[in-house]
Amino acid sequence: ISAMSLPATRRPTARACWRSNAASTGTPARGCSSAKKAGKIISGGSENIIYGIFHQDSKGQSVINILPELEIKVGDSNQDSAGIHIDPHDIKISPKTDYNNNQNCLKGHVTSATMLEGNVRLIIDIGIELISLISQEAFQEIASDVFMKDIYVVFGISDVHVF
């Protein structure tokens, strides 16, 4: 169904304001504001998309504050608030703390473990739910304690994609 076949009251009213052909000079189309709006396209699914407020911690590290007691270290950002995405394959699980300055290590507990295409999909509660996809071998190493003890979710600062 095309927009023109809809009644006039239901036709889309949005219009393209930036010329997109190869000869474009980057100028707005007639009747449009000259202010450009930047955006980002991120790869990945809809899991582990988190919103919060950015600030600098006491050590000068950029962090996003998710909950009063939950912060995630990110690369430098000049935004006040935004979202982040962490690929489930980038989230590792450890039975003990594994802290260093270039990664996040957050305490939590597993609430669900299911098989998914040869991997194990874990839902981990760290104050919010995070999804991790780990190999069956990695799961076997922690399987005996995974539902009885707290575990640590570990991922690098570079694994946190700001949008």
Side-chain angles (χ1 to χ4, degrees):
I1 188 167
S2 74
M4 295 312 289
S5 66
L6 294 172
T9 57
R10 298 204 43 217
R11 287 186 190 151
T13 58
R15 59 189 158 149
C17 284
W18 291 95
R19 297 182 184 137
S20 61
N21 63 24
S24 173
T25 61
T27 58
R30 183 181 301 173
C32 294
S33 167
S34 63
K36 286 187 179 181
K37 300 214 178 203
K40 289 186 180 180
I41 296 175
I42 61 170
S43 63
S46 61
E47 298 175 321
N48 299 334
I49 294 178
I50 307 162
Y51 296 92
I53 307 295
F54 284 102
H55 67 92
Q56 300 277 325
D57 68 8
S58 60
K59 298 175 185 172
Q61 172 69 52
S62 294
V63 297
I64 184 168
N65 189 358
I66 310 299
L67 297 170
E69 299 299 320
L70 178 60
E71 292 182 337
I72 294 177
K73 291 187 267 185
V74 300
D76 291 332
S77 178
N78 58 0
Q79 302 174 2
D80 292 330
S81 63
I84 60 172
H85 172 258
I86 308 161
D87 187 309
H89 290 96
D90 294 334
I91 298 176
K92 309 300 180 233
I93 306 301
S94 176
K96 57 186 179 212
T97 186
D98 188 13
Y99 178 82
N100 77 44
N101 289 334
N102 296 320
Q103 66 186 18
N104 291 280
C105 183
L106 306 168
K107 187 176 182 179
H109 62 274
V110 175
T111 60
S112 172
T114 54
M115 292 296 297
L116 179 68
E117 300 175 1
N119 290 312
V120 179
R121 181 180 185 268
L122 299 174
I123 300 176
I124 304 123
D125 183 350
I126 61 165
I128 60 169
E129 283 188 346
L130 284 182
I131 308 296
S132 175
L133 285 173
I134 62 173
S135 69
Q136 292 179 28
E137 294 80 17
F139 181 73
Q140 290 301 321
E141 292 177 19
I142 62 169
S144 62
D145 296 331
V146 76
F147 291 108
M148 296 181 198
K149 297 181 180 177
D150 287 335
I151 53 95
Y152 292 89
V153 178
V154 180
F155 52 94
I157 293 172
S158 62
D159 296 327
V160 180
H161 305 281
V162 178
F163 63 95

